[in-house]
C-alpha cells in the first residue's frame, strides 16, 4: 500500500480518498490476504480514517496450546490530528517495525499517512486478549503425582516379575 501524501487529499474530490485493500501485510502473519477498504477524509485540521477489513490469523490456544484459525474482522475509525508541531520524519522508511506504543495520533499536515502501518495496528488491536480455540476447550490433563508414582511402581514390579520368572525357570 502506497503512503498517502496528506496535502494531496485536499485536491481530491470532497477531499476524500478510498483505498481498496486486498493484500498481505508484511508484518502480519495471516492465512489470507487482508481484504477491505480504507476511507480517508481531510478535515482541515485532522484526517478522518475509517476502514472495513478482515483476514484470518492462526492463533495458539492459551488453554490447550493447539493452533486454531481466527477470523479478524475490524471496522475502526479514527481522527488523526494534523499538527504542525509533529516532527516530520525526513527519513521515513516505508517498512519499519511498529510497536503498539507508537500508535499515530497526530501527523504533520505536510506529511504522509501510511495506510499499511495504520491497518496493521488496527488488526493488532483487534487480536483477542484471551485466545481460546473453543468454549469447550479443555486444558490437557497432566498425570497426577499419584498416577506418576503408580506408573513408576508398576514399572518396577514388571521388572521384578520378569526377574522372578527368569529365576524360577533357572531353578
Ligand atoms: Zn484450546
Amino acid at each position: 500500500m502506497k503512503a498517502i501524501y496528506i496535502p494531496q487529499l485536499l485536491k481530491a474530490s470532497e477531499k476524500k480518498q478510498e483505498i481498496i485493500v486486498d493484500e498481505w501485510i508484511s508484518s502480519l502473519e495471516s492465512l489470507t490476504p487482508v481484504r477491505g477498504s480504507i476511507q480517508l477524509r481531510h478535515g482541515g485540521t485532522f484526517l478522518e480514517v475509517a476502514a472495513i477489513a478482515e483476514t484470518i490469523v492462526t492463533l495458539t490456544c492459551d488453554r490447550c496450546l493447539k493452533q486454531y484459525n481466527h477470523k479478524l474482522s475490524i471496522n475502526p475509525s479514527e481522527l488523526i490530528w494534523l499538527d504542525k508541531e509533529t516532527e516530520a520524519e525526513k527519513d521515513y522508511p516505508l517498512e519499519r517495525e511498529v510497536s503498539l506504543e507508537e500508535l499515530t495520533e497526530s501527523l504533520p499536515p505536510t506529511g504522509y499517512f501510511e495506510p499499511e502501518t495504520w491497518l496493521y495496528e488496527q488488526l493488532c488491536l483487534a487480536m483477542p486478549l484471551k485466545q481460546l480455540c473453543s468454549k469447550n476447550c479443555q486444558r490437557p490433563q497432566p498425570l497426577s503425582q499419584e498416577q506418576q508414582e503408580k506408573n513408576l511402581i508398576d514399572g518396577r514390579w514388571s521388572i521384578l516379575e520378569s526377574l522372578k520368572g527368569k529365576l524360577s525357570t533357572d531353578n
Side-chain angles (χ1 to χ4, degrees), residues 4-12 42 108-112:
I4 305 290
Y5 182 53
I6 296 168
Q8 200 185 308
L9 274 173
L10 289 168
K11 295 179 199 156
H42 199 306
T110 53
Y112 287 85

Side-chain angles (χ1 to χ4, degrees), residues 64-105:
C64 70
L65 305 178
K66 265 189 233 153
Q67 292 209 316
Y68 67 103
N69 295 335
H70 177 77
K71 187 171 166 184
L72 267 187
S73 195
I74 60 168
N75 187 7
S77 61
E78 189 184 13
L79 294 183
I80 299 173
W81 299 104
L82 298 175
D83 185 354
K84 284 193 185 77
E85 300 299 308
T86 309
E87 211 178 310
E89 291 171 73
K90 280 176 200 150
D91 312 308
Y92 201 73
L94 282 178
E95 287 185 57
R96 56 174 194 145
E97 291 291 323
V98 174
S99 66
L100 278 179
E101 292 81 47
E102 249 188 295
L103 290 179
T104 317
E105 279 156 6

Side-chain angles (χ1 to χ4, degrees), residues 61-66 68 131-134 137-139:
C61 177
D62 288 338
R63 200 180 279 161
C64 70
L65 305 178
K66 265 189 233 153
Y68 67 103
Q131 302 182 352
L132 291 179
C133 63
S134 74
C137 160
Q138 295 287 327
R139 188 181 288 280

Side-chain angles (χ1 to χ4, degrees), residues 25 28 34 55 72 74 119-127:
I25 290 185
L28 187 81
V34 178
T55 188
L72 267 187
I74 60 168
L119 196 57
Y120 171 69
E121 288 166 356
Q122 303 304 317
L123 287 163
C124 287
L125 286 171
M127 292 278 185

Side-chain angles (χ1 to χ4, degrees), residues 17-79:
Q17 186 174 341
E18 186 179 38
I19 304 162
I20 301 297
V21 183
D22 186 1
E23 60 195 272
W24 303 93
I25 290 185
S26 54
S27 343
L28 187 81
E29 285 185 37
S30 59
L31 275 185
T32 57
V34 178
R35 294 199 176 98
S37 64
I38 303 175
Q39 287 83 37
L40 287 173
R41 187 175 77 85
H42 199 306
T45 53
F46 61 88
L47 201 62
E48 190 182 338
V49 192
I52 297 175
E54 63 177 44
T55 188
I56 295 172
V57 288
T58 303
L59 301 177
T60 304
C61 177
D62 288 338
R63 200 180 279 161
C64 70
L65 305 178
K66 265 189 233 153
Q67 292 209 316
Y68 67 103
N69 295 335
H70 177 77
K71 187 171 166 184
L72 267 187
S73 195
I74 60 168
N75 187 7
S77 61
E78 189 184 13
L79 294 183

